[in-house]
């Protein structure tokens, strides 16, 4: 089973990962853009939840790096933040990320968003 | 009357008495003397009072019972009752009514005291002067008015006290609860009865944050005021935030504590603080996100700028190459139009500018290629390999003259693999072609001259020397027959042997030079003979198969080429291969002649060999190739060290040998 990769600082990450695990998903966690890329290589996730801001890295830059790797060109990436970044629907962000989710989102919102971005046969 | 004057003077006193009272005080004058009743009544009326009068104790009590009377001016000596009795009765029936006794001039002090003990509020003695009377009446009524006001005020206070939402405690100096309001009960969840008499300090013990309750209490009583906040711990364990305002000695031995429940306010404040904090966190978070997005975009813009600059630079470089190249550079569509061309290409085809060339050539296949079939081959090669190198074709120039070009072309496709256009470099190789053609022509002439010379020598050797040798042999034979001296016969036989050997060698030599059999009997027979002899001499078995050669003659140049190739190949086998067996296949099919010579010898590395300079090569590979090339054929040599060598020759016989070109 391919995992969902949650990339964020410890506090929001654990909460989101726990909700996903309780919902039956296989979850991998990373605390920086760099470790996310390394992890993505080894686990090939089917979806990535990526915080815009992390202590040690910039989620948008990490997403851009992932996009440049051919294996991850069509991997859904959902941004986590407090407000959708300005220009989310325009280039260069539009091709970078598949969606946005409030980092404090409820379990219900989180699961609905995740479900809507997974391939149909993977839900 | 002196008294009247005095009364008149006292008018000024009335004013402050009637103020603020809707109804004037009503005074009942009780005296058995009608004159005095009238006098007092007049006096009091002029002072602003209402008056009534009674002439006896009984009438007095009746009037008091039936009317609202504020003050009774009572003559203590009445015909029916004693003034003290009347006073007692009034005070017992209507305690609010003031009684002012008027005693006789000789009234003893004991009488006055008796009157007071009966409940009278004051007394004056006869003779009564107006000033004294009014002063006393006014004084008493002023007190009554004050009391009334006080009672009214106290009623107001009570109403406020009972209905306010703040908990209020009236406590004595010892902090015992004397009074408290419903809000206090509600706050403490205790009834009034449960709290009255209890010490207020006990109720707030453990909650009020005073250092030492008793000491601070005394301090509070001295200071008179304290306010602050504390957390009230209730008996059920719950807590409420409280703001208090305490005033000491608002009355003697009475202190007021007002406790306000500020729990809700505290919560609201906390909620506001939390909201504020959260907002601040959100702002911090949002700011961080904005900064992250900005950093990313900056990076992205920088990247794009860099890529853009690199692209521009590359474009400029390409443009420079494109414009200045000696080779022609083009892009063309699969349906045969030029998309772009550089000046060199235009010049190559006789145009003044690339635009002219592009405009003029709308169909490359028909207008550009001399042989449209070549275009089809080109397309197929690009389709199969994606790229072609050194593809040669003849093309028309603007003036319809023909040039040879060599193209390196690759296909440019979109992401779906759809062919968009061809892109390539063109070189004019006409000159090279001509030189090449000339060289081949010379070579051909050389080969022909050589063949002719060999044939002539071979003929001569065969015809003349062969004949001479045959004659010599015949002569020797008859000589031997005619000589009977034994030693001479032996000599003759040795000469015969030598002569035979010479004849054989001559035969071999002739065959090597130019087998007469090839000219006389054809390729198949000549080759058969040669292979048989070679096999016999080398002691290597040869498996020879041929197909399509019986009674069929080929062009003589072609026949001698094939013959020479087989000859050369067998020479190589003998010299280098150390083979156990050789297989030769000669085949003619339609317009194609194939020769395959295969051995099971030591083999060699073809590529390695081809790299070594021609003069160092072990055998006549180059000779083989040139000869085959002259007749428009190809040579392939496949060899694996330790396994053997195969020489494959294919010759297209449909072409005119004289005009054959290398392609």
């Amino acid at each position: 089973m391919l995992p969902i990769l949650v990339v964020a600082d410890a506090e929001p990450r654990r909460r989101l990962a726990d909700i996903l695990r309780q919902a039956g998903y296989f979850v991998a966690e990373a605390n920086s853009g760099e470790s996310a890329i390394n992890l993505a290589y080894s686990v090939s996730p089917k979806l990535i939840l990526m915080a815009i801001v992390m202590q040690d890295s910039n989620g948008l830059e990490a997403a851009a790096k992932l996009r440049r790797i051919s294996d991850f060109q069509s991997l859904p990436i959902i941004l986590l933040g407090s407000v959708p970044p300005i220009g989310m629907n325009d280039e260069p962000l539009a091709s970078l990320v598949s969606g946005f989710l409030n980092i404090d989102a409820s379990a219900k919102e989180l699961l609905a968003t995740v479900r809507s971005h997974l391939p149909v046969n993977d839900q | 009357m002196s008294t009247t004057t005095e009364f008149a003077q006292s008018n000024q006193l009335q004013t402050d008495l009637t103020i603020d009272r809707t109804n004037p005080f009503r005074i009942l004058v009780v005296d058995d003397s009608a004159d005095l009743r009238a006098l007092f009544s007049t006096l009091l009326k002029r002072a602003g009072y209402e008056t009534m009068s009674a002439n006896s104790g009984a009438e007095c009590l009746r009037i008091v019972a039936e009317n609202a009377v504020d003050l009774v001016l009572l003559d203590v000596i009445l015909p029916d009752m004693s003034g003290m009795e009347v006073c007692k009765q009034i005070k017992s029936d209507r305690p609010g009514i003031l009684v002012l006794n008027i005693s006789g001039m000789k009234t003893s002090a004991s009488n006055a005291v008796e009157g007071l003990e009966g409940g009278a509020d004051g007394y004056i003695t006869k003779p009564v002067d107006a000033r004294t009377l009014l002063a006393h009446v006014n004084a008493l009524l002023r007190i009554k008015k004050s009391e009334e006001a006080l009672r009214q005020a106290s009623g107001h206070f009570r109403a406020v006290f009972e209905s306010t939402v703040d908990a209020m405690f009236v406590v004595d100096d010892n902090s015992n609860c004397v009074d408290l309001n419903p809000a206090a009960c509600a706050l403490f969840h205790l009834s009034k009865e449960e709290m009255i008499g209890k010490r207020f300090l006990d109720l707030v013990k453990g909650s009020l944050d005073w250092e030492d309750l008793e000491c601070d209490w005394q301090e509070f009583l001295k200071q008179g005021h304290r306010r602050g906040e504390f957390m009230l711990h209730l008996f059920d364990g719950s807590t409420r935030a409280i703001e208090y305002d305490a005033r000491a000695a608002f009355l003697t031995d009475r202190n007021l504590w007002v406790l306000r429940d500020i729990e809700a306010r505290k919560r609201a404040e906390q909620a506001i603080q939390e909201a504020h904090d959260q907002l601040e966190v959100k702002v911090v978070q949002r700011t961080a996100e904005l900064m992250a997005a900005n950093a990313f975009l900056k990076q992205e813009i920088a990247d794009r700028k860099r890529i853009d600059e690199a692209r521009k630079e590359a474009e400029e470089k390409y443009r420079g190459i494109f414009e200045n190249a000696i080779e022609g550079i083009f892009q063309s569509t699969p349906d045969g139009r030029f998309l772009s061309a550089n000046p060199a290409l235009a010049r190559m085809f006789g145009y003044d500018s690339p635009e002219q060339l592009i405009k003029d050539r709308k169909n490359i296949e028909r207008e550009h290629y001399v042989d449209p079939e070549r275009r089809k081959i080109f397309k197929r090669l690009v389709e199969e390999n994606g790229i072609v190198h050194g593809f040669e074709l003849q093309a028309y120039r603007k003036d319809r003259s023909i040039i040879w070009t060599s193209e390196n072309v690759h296909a440019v496709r979109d992401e779906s693999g759809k062919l968009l256009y061809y892109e390539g470099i063109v070189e004019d190789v006409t000159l090279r072609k001509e030189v090449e053609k000339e060289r081949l022509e010379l070579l051909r002439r050389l080969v022909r001259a050589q063949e002719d010379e060999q044939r002539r020598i071979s003929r001569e050797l065969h015809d003349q020397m062969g004949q001479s040798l045959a004659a010599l042999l015949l002569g020797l034979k008859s000589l031997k027959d005619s000589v009977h001296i034994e030693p001479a016969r032996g000599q003759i036989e040795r000469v015969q042997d030598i002569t035979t050997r010479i004849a054989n060698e001559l035969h071999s030599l002739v065959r090597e030079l130019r087998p007469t059999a090839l000219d006389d009997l054809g390729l198949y027979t000549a080759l058969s003979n040669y292979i048989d002899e070679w096999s016999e001499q080398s002691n290597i078995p040869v498996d020879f198969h041929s197909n399509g050669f019986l009674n069929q003659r080929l062009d003589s140049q072609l026949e001698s080429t094939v013959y020479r190739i087989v000859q050369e190949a067998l020479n190589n086998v003998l010299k280098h291969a150390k083979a156990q067996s050789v297989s030769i296949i000669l085949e003619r099919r339609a317009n194609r002649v194939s020769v395959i010579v295969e051995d099971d010898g030591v083999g060699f590395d073809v590529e390695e060999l081809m790299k070594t300079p021609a003069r160092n090569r072990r055998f006549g590979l180059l000779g083989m190739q040139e000869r085959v090339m002259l007749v428009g054929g190809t040579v392939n040599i496949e060899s694996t060290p330790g396994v053997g060598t195969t020489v494959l020759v294919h010759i297209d016989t449909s072409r005119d040998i004289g005009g054959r070109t290398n392609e």
Side-chain angles (χ1 to χ4, degrees), chain B residues 410-579:
Chain B
H410 71 267
V412 177
R413 298 174 187 278
D414 66 10
E415 280 169 7
S416 70
K418 186 177 167 260
L419 176 62
L420 296 180
Y421 54 87
Y422 303 116
E423 199 168 59
I425 297 177
V426 185
E427 205 181 342
D428 183 346
V429 293
T430 310
L431 198 61
R432 197 177 80 199
K433 277 281 179 192
E434 276 166 12
V435 170
E436 179 82 355
K437 200 169 148 192
E438 230 163 79
R439 193 180 75 83
L440 283 177
E441 188 49 46
L442 285 172
L443 187 63
R444 190 176 294 117
R445 274 196 236 154
L446 181 68
V447 168
R448 187 164 289 158
Q450 197 180 3
E451 285 281 332
D452 288 349
E453 187 59 17
Q454 282 176 350
R455 189 187 288 120
R456 193 181 62 75
I457 294 169
S458 146
R459 282 257 172 236
E460 234 156 69
L461 286 176
H462 181 265
D463 293 353
Q464 297 184 14
M465 282 199 59
Q467 295 302 317
S468 304
L469 278 173
L472 180 62
L473 277 171
L474 275 175
L476 285 171
K477 192 176 185 295
S478 55
L479 181 62
K480 192 180 101 181
D481 291 345
S482 61
V483 175
H484 302 284
I485 307 154
E486 203 44 46
R489 280 183 66 98
Q491 282 285 0
I492 291 168
E493 274 172 19
R494 273 201 297 285
V495 173
Q496 263 186 319
D497 285 349
I498 292 167
T499 309
T500 308
R501 211 162 59 233
I502 289 170
N504 284 342
E505 275 167 13
L506 180 74
H507 183 67
S508 264
L509 191 62
V510 164
R511 198 186 55 228
E512 286 291 327
L513 277 171
R514 177 75 188 182
T516 48
L518 189 56
D519 292 328
D520 303 340
L521 303 171
L523 182 61
Y524 175 74
T525 317
L527 262 182
S528 274
N529 294 344
Y530 176 76
I531 289 166
D532 286 347
E533 276 178 43
W534 181 86
S535 181
E536 202 174 297
Q537 279 173 14
S538 63
N539 216 6
I540 298 171
V542 177
D543 190 11
F544 178 50
H545 291 281
S546 85
N547 186 17
F549 281 92
L550 278 174
N551 306 320
Q552 292 269 354
R553 294 301 301 266
L554 296 170
D555 172 89
S556 81
Q557 196 192 342
L558 219 157
E559 283 194 334
S560 72
T561 301
V562 173
Y563 185 88
R564 295 283 183 213
I565 286 165
V566 174
Q567 214 173 20
E568 190 65 47
L570 286 176
N571 270 341
N572 286 338
V573 172
L574 193 62
K575 281 185 203 155
H576 310 291
K578 303 183 186 106

Side-chain angles (χ1 to χ4, degrees), chain A residues 53 58 60 81-83 96 104, chain B residues 282 286 288-289 292-293 296 303:
Chain A
V53 176
N58 183 333
L60 290 170
S82 60
V83 189
L96 205 62
D104 299 322
Chain B
K282 287 268 180 222
R286 177 71 188 128
E289 283 170 13
F296 163 71
D303 280 0

